Amino acid sequence: MTSSDREPDDSGDPHDHDHDHDHDHDHDQELTEPTSKSVDSGGVAEFSVPEMDCPSCAGKVESSVQKLDGIEDVNPQVTTGKLSVSYDPERTNPKSIGDRVERAGYSIEGDGELTVKFTVPEMDCPSCAGKIESALDRLDGVSTYSTQPTTGKVAVTYDESSIDESDIVAAIESAGYEVTETDTGRETSADEDESRESIWTSTRAIKTWVSGGFTALGILFEFFLVGQNLELATVVGRELLVADVLFLIAVAFGGQTILRNGYYSARNLNLDIDFLMSVAIIGALLASLVFGEALYFEAATLAFLFSVAELLERYSMDRARNSLRELMDLSPDEATVKRDGEEVTVPVDDVVVGDIVVVRPGEKIPMDGEVVDGESAVNQAPITGESVPVDKTAGDEVYAGTINEEGYLEIQVTSQASDNTLSRIVEMVEDAQSNKTEREQFVERFSAYYTPVVVAFAVLVTVGSPYVIGTPWSTAVVYGLTLLVLACPCAFVISTPVSVVSGITSAAKNGVLIKGGNHLEAMGAVDVVAFDKTGTLTKGELTVTDVVPLNGNSEQDVLNCARGLEQRSEHPIGEAIVAEANSAGVGEREIEDFESITGKGVRATLDGERHFAGKPGLFEELGFDLSHVHATTDGGVVTQTAQQLCDRHNCLDLLEDTVPKLQSEGKTVVLVGTEDELEGVVAVADEVRPQAKRTIARLKDLGVKKTVMLTGDNERTARAIAEQVGVDEYRAELLPDEKVSAIEGFVDAYDGVAMVGDGVNDAPALATATVGVAMGAAGTDTALETADIALMADDLSKLPYLYELANDANSVIRQNIWASLGVKAALAVGVPFGLVPIWLAVLAGDAGMTVGVTGNAMRLSRLQPEGTENTETEGVEL
């Protein structure tokens, strides 16, 4: 329950202050994603200090660390229990920093361990990842690792005292894969961008095209120029014709990389596609040379077509990776900073907290910060998904990666490049793949049995078909080779993660941060969506909704008196009235003798005359007849608001009609007047978000079975808001633990429950729900840490988009799994009957399905939030 959930009940004093703040430390919630790493990235060390859970703790740690020589910046993060320290590597090191943390009385989790991410672009399939995992398994000192074929990343956590980074790089390269970059940005080989752009002109591609040329020439001599297909040589007693030699040359070019990778597979004991294809090619050559079966054509076909399949797979995976690269590329590499009275351009990594960054029209904002000078409209779509630019002036917060549309801005940097909102989003999107969906876990378990079973079937068909159905031995061997091609479940295994990556990155570009494939899957199975009221269905800010002038006073007169009375009040209702008066441009009043009347209202002397503001009971005590009050008329006609509330011309019954009607709409009523005259009525309410009603209706259209509002507000206000937005059910006057109980009840009764709240005070309910969705999480550390899914802007309309995306993602995953499995099974069954040639197994069973499932997954990027289908945003491809 948020503090603003406790709106004043009209049965009590609207000016009573509610200081019921919740300071409970929810350690379990804050550490739901514990880290056990200290990352030294060349000048920046990050430690996990779970006991540092309050500002006082952070202060002690910061003071202790700053005593070290060479410390540049200390950034303790209480909400995550993490400590980030910038330092000079020539003057200190992570171990010394860790010692200072411990001297402050706090232990470091995972002390001595280092986590590094390696970029391995050629690792683009599960079998590739398997070889790398096998190589890492043999390293002493590696505690955990995570391979992500969909992004070409390998994250390794290891003990610095046992091994170093070079040992891990060597292990990965021993598996046959090149490391192009580490998380420090250090280049170790050719530029990755160039390698991305040259898939079809790479060394392997050139060898593949040469192999294809010789294969085509071999086919020409084998089937068309039969008379010219002469004997050229004899090897181990077997004659080699022109076509045979051409096929062997094709194998030499096309099979070179395959056999190399197969060697690494064998070395790492991996029964993957490279090993199986190597066995198939070598088997075909041995059968030709040793047994005289003349399978050179099949060997060349395997080498060429599988090389083409690998290129297609790499291209398809690159398309999936591009969606994430677009997020990474949003932030500029350089920033213009004011230093020593001059503007200098520096790399963003050199910008420090407190620097003043200059951003001109059309430029991207390089860092998170606060505007200190200038004003402009900023396009925040890359971060929040908002289609309309947001006006920014001094004091407003801005985010890295957003675009300055028209004005000049000076921004004071508030976070380092590695810790800004965009960086956290990219990191969370990358890490989201480690939270595997239930389907992904099933696929991995199934694939562990699939390959051995199909290999055994291949052996059985090869050995048994000559005896059972009289197949010639040469044909039986071809059948076996074909089944070996089908034995690798690459397309099957990649079908789920590529869909998850596509869905999560697409959501991120539309202002929805999904922190794991499991949460995406769970959101698609939600039956109930529960909403917090304040700040979620409503704006969370009290505003004046009605002003009813009485006894000849105007609205300006009422606001003028109300402002004078409320100007010294710190209550949210008073602040709302003062804000409305300011916007209406009413004049100032001389205020004297301000006094709060406990439980009733306030009084003060305005320009020498005693005035009152408060609930109706206060004015009844002053002797006013609230059942018969004269409304102000304008030219003999009652004002519109008064007319709607009055049934006796210009006479109002405040007690039985006007006040109850306003209260039934969820509004708080304040009367304003003197000792002798009632001047007017002011109604204040927390306005419903304009998109709330449409969001509820859209969710129901998409298949949500039940929508419910959970609030700590009073019954009358809750009922009014529930009727306005159209939820199926509401529960009012709930404490935080009662919200949790309500969510638990829905979880027991339905398959899936989503809770939508502010991500801070609603943390227990968010954590209890199947899926927790935080509102307006851009730049909010706690919301980003605690929620499963975060709507980066205060835009409820993104919720139906999220639900539809999750449903579509689940459908795509199911389609990919069953299509890849079904095609493989159909081809495997058809092999013994001679229905599946080896080229079809390669192109359809391997390359075709990999391209197919990737392309199907990419369809998720086409889904857009309602109302943004035709919106084009600079800097990101929607």
Side-chain angles (χ1 to χ4, degrees):
M1 178 178 63
T2 64
S3 58
S4 53
D5 264 335
R6 291 184 174 273
E7 289 183 6
D9 190 306
D10 292 303
S11 61
D13 181 11
H15 293 76
D16 282 346
H17 290 250
D18 186 353
H19 296 288
D20 183 17
H21 300 293
D22 183 5
H23 292 293
D24 290 342
H25 290 278
D26 190 349
H27 295 284
D28 291 336
Q29 180 60 32
E30 290 185 357
L31 298 177
T32 50
E33 295 180 10
T35 58
S36 57
K37 65 178 182 178
S38 66
V39 179
D40 173 10
S41 56
V44 178
E46 183 177 316
F47 301 85
S48 178
V49 190
E51 296 169 348
M52 184 184 66
D53 57 2
C54 67
S56 175
C57 308
K60 288 197 287 288
V61 171
E62 186 173 1
S63 298
S64 179
V65 172
Q66 283 179 336
K67 292 177 182 178
L68 270 178
D69 186 39
I71 297 300
E72 297 173 354
D73 183 61
V74 182
N75 181 22
Q77 301 171 10
V78 173
T79 57
T80 61
K82 291 181 180 179
L83 175 71
S84 179
V85 182
S86 299
Y87 65 96
D88 183 351
E90 295 180 0
R91 298 161 67 192
T92 189
N93 55 60
K95 185 178 185 305
S96 299
I97 297 171
D99 291 340
R100 295 304 307 180
V101 174
E102 291 176 348
R103 288 187 65 177
Y106 298 90
S107 58
I108 298 173
E109 197 172 80
D111 193 15
E113 288 190 337
L114 196 67
T115 298
V116 179
K117 280 188 178 180
F118 302 90
T119 299
V120 189
E122 294 176 353
M123 183 193 68
D124 53 13
C125 67
S127 63
C128 307
K131 284 198 282 289
I132 291 174
E133 290 171 0
S134 297
L136 293 174
D137 281 335
R138 293 197 296 270
L139 280 180
D140 292 330
V142 172
S143 56
T144 61
Y145 57 76
S146 172
T147 54
Q148 301 171 354
T150 47
T151 57
K153 301 283 186 180
V154 179
V156 183
T157 300
Y158 62 94
D159 187 348
E160 291 180 276
S161 63
S162 301
I163 57 173
D164 57 28
E165 184 179 303
S166 62
D167 296 323
I168 297 173
V169 172
I172 294 173
E173 291 180 345
S174 74
Y177 297 92
E178 184 181 35
V179 177
T180 63
E181 189 179 325
T182 69
D183 64 346
T184 62
R186 176 178 57 85
E187 297 288 341
T188 60
S189 69
D191 185 84
E192 185 186 356
D193 287 338
E194 291 183 8
S195 67
R196 294 208 300 259
E197 296 169 359
S198 58
I199 291 174
W200 301 113
T201 57
S202 63
T203 302
R204 180 165 190 181
I206 292 172
K207 292 178 180 178
T208 300
W209 310 141
V210 172
S211 174
F214 280 103
T215 300
L217 286 173
I219 291 173
L220 184 65
F221 279 93
E222 178 84 10
F223 298 104
F224 300 101
L225 302 178
V226 180
Q228 282 73 41
N229 192 20
L230 306 175
E231 180 181 341
L232 292 182
T234 301
V235 179
V236 295
R238 306 295 180 185
E239 63 178 20
L240 290 178
L241 305 178
V242 173
D244 299 335
V245 172
L246 291 171
F247 288 140
L248 285 172
I249 296 173
V251 170
F253 278 97
Q256 186 180 110
T257 304
I258 298 170
L259 295 174
R260 172 181 173 274
N261 291 341
Y263 160 75
Y264 285 114
S265 298
R267 180 175 167 180
N268 289 288
L269 302 179
N270 264 63
L271 189 64
D272 60 13
I273 188 63
D274 292 316
F275 176 77
L276 295 172
M277 289 300 301
S278 297
V279 169
I281 292 171
I282 293 172
L285 294 177
L286 288 176
S288 302
L289 294 172
V290 178
F291 302 109
E293 297 296 343
L295 299 178
Y296 301 110
F297 165 70
E298 283 75 10
T301 303
L302 281 173
F304 169 63
L305 292 181
F306 183 68
S307 291
V308 172
E310 290 285 274
L311 293 173
L312 284 170
E313 186 177 78
R314 179 73 185 278
Y315 173 72
S316 298
M317 191 55 61
D318 213 51
R319 287 181 60 205
R321 291 178 181 176
N322 277 338
S323 59
L324 181 56
R325 291 191 188 111
E326 288 172 1
L327 287 177
M328 297 176 179
D329 293 341
L330 286 176
S331 183
D333 297 325
E334 295 180 328
T336 303
V337 182
K338 277 191 170 183
R339 289 181 179 169
D340 300 324
E342 297 181 355
E343 293 184 6
V344 294
T345 301
V346 299
V348 290
D349 290 337
D350 292 344
V351 180
V352 299
V353 174
D355 273 345
I356 302 297
V357 174
V358 174
V359 186
R360 292 181 169 80
E363 295 180 347
K364 292 180 181 178
I365 294 173
M367 309 284 285
D368 281 6
E370 181 179 303
V371 177
V372 293
D373 189 24
E375 57 182 47
S376 179
V378 174
N379 185 339
Q380 297 191 150
I383 301 297
T384 66
E386 296 167 283
S387 58
V388 178
V390 179
D391 291 331
K392 299 288 183 179
T393 58
D396 289 338
E397 187 177 16
V398 292
Y399 311 119
T402 56
I403 303 154
N404 181 20
E405 293 281 356
E406 54 191 31
Y408 171 89
L409 292 176
E410 290 186 5
I411 299 164
Q412 185 172 38
V413 176
T414 57
S415 64
Q416 299 173 354
S418 60
D419 194 43
N420 62 36
T421 303
L422 180 60
S423 297
R424 293 200 301 274
I425 291 172
V426 171
E427 182 180 357
M428 288 178 179
V429 170
E430 284 184 314
D431 292 343
Q433 299 168 78
S434 61
N435 297 326
K436 296 179 179 177
T437 68
E438 291 183 8
R439 291 186 181 91
E440 193 170 358
Q441 295 174 40
F442 160 76
V443 165
E444 290 186 352
R445 291 193 299 268
F446 182 87
S447 62
Y449 298 98
Y450 172 84
T451 299
V453 167
V454 177
V455 169
F457 183 49
V459 173
L460 182 64
V461 168
T462 303
V463 176
S465 58
Y467 300 102
V468 177
I469 56 178
T471 303
W473 277 102
S474 60
T475 304
V477 170
V478 172
Y479 288 169
L481 298 179
T482 306
L483 285 169
L484 287 181
V485 173
L486 297 172
C488 183
C490 276
F492 179 56
V493 173
I494 207 71
S495 60
T496 300
V498 75
S499 303
V500 168
V501 168
S502 177
I504 288 176
T505 53
S506 175
K509 288 184 287 184
N510 284 292
V512 179
L513 178 61
I514 304 172
K515 293 173 60 177
N518 53 335
H519 305 313
L520 178 66
E521 182 182 49
M523 188 67 202
V526 160
D527 290 330
V528 177
V529 179
F531 297 87
D532 173 45
K533 179 185 76 69
T534 306
T536 303
L537 291 175
T538 66
K539 294 181 179 179
E541 299 176 357
L542 293 179
T543 56
V544 173
T545 59
D546 301 270
V547 178
V548 182
L550 303 171
N551 297 314
N553 291 286
S554 66
E555 288 190 11
Q556 292 272 27
D557 295 333
V558 176
L559 287 174
N560 184 281
C561 291
R563 175 187 179 179
L565 288 161
E566 300 288 1
Q567 197 161 352
R568 297 183 181 180
S569 171
E570 296 179 357
H571 194 277
I573 290 178
E575 293 174 356
I577 290 174
V578 171
E580 176 68 18
N582 288 339
S583 65
V586 301
E588 296 280 349
R589 302 290 294 268
E590 183 180 340
I591 307 168
E592 296 177 341
D593 302 327
F594 175 85
E595 181 184 355
S596 175
I597 307 172
T598 304
K600 299 177 182 178
V602 297
R603 63 185 167 205
T605 300
L606 305 180
D607 296 334
E609 185 176 7
R610 198 67 150 171
H611 281 73
F612 299 83
K615 63 182 186 178
L618 173 62
F619 286 86
E620 284 187 304
E621 292 180 7
L622 293 173
F624 287 96
D625 179 9
L626 301 183
S627 63
H628 188 80
V629 179
H630 291 278
T632 294
T633 61
D634 183 8
V637 180
V638 181
T639 59
Q640 183 177 2
T641 302
Q643 181 66 56
Q644 293 173 346
L645 302 172
C646 181
D647 58 359
R648 293 180 298 179
H649 303 293
N650 63 335
C651 296
L652 301 179
D653 185 341
L654 298 185
L655 206 58
E656 299 297 330
D657 189 1
T658 307
V659 171
K661 181 173 178 59
L662 290 170
Q663 290 176 343
S664 70
E665 296 171 356
K667 301 171 182 177
T668 299
V669 176
V670 177
L671 272 58
V672 179
T674 66
E675 293 176 320
D676 302 319
E677 180 184 59
L678 195 59
E679 297 174 327
V681 177
V682 179
V684 178
D686 183 5
E687 284 189 292
V688 172
R689 292 185 184 277
Q691 66 269 42
K693 185 173 183 179
R694 172 60 182 164
T695 294
I696 301 297
R698 181 70 179 139
L699 286 173
K700 293 178 181 178
D701 292 341
L702 291 171
V704 172
K705 295 179 180 178
K706 188 182 190 70
T707 56
V708 60
M709 183 181 74
L710 306 177
T711 179
D713 213 335
N714 63 74
E715 173 76 18
R716 182 176 56 250
T717 300
R719 181 174 61 252
I721 299 299
E723 290 174 353
Q724 287 184 56
V725 300
V727 292
D728 299 317
E729 180 183 334
Y730 72 91
R731 299 186 186 182
E733 301 177 7
L734 298 180
L735 296 173
D737 61 321
E738 292 173 327
K739 284 187 179 182
V740 170
S741 298
I743 294 294
E744 288 175 341
F746 290 127
V747 170
D748 291 338
Y750 294 88
D751 290 336
V753 178
M755 173 66 191
V756 187
D758 60 15
V760 182
N761 297 315
D762 287 315
L766 291 172
T768 304
T770 311
V771 183
V773 182
M775 286 282 293
T780 307
D781 290 340
T782 306
L784 285 173
E785 290 294 331
T786 58
D788 301 321
I789 299 173
L791 307 182
M792 302 304 290
D794 282 336
D795 188 356
L796 265 183
S797 67
K798 298 295 176 63
L799 195 62
Y801 158 74
L802 167 63
Y803 183 74
E804 187 174 8
L805 176 71
N807 271 284
D808 287 356
N810 284 344
S811 296
V812 166
I813 289 171
R814 285 193 297 268
Q815 293 164 12
N816 283 350
I817 289 175
W818 293 114
S820 56
L821 188 60
V823 169
K824 288 264 189 181
L827 291 172
V829 170
V831 168
F833 301 100
L835 301 176
V836 181
I838 199 166
W839 63 264
L840 182 61
V842 175
L843 290 183
D846 188 67
M849 285 313 304
T850 299
V851 173
V853 298
T854 304
N856 194 33
M858 290 299 100
R859 292 192 301 114
L860 294 173
S861 63
R862 300 176 186 172
L863 185 64
Q864 300 290 323
E866 191 174 56
T868 63
E869 289 81 356
N870 298 320
T871 301
E872 294 183 0
T873 303
E874 182 182 352
V876 62
E877 215 179 306
L878 295 179

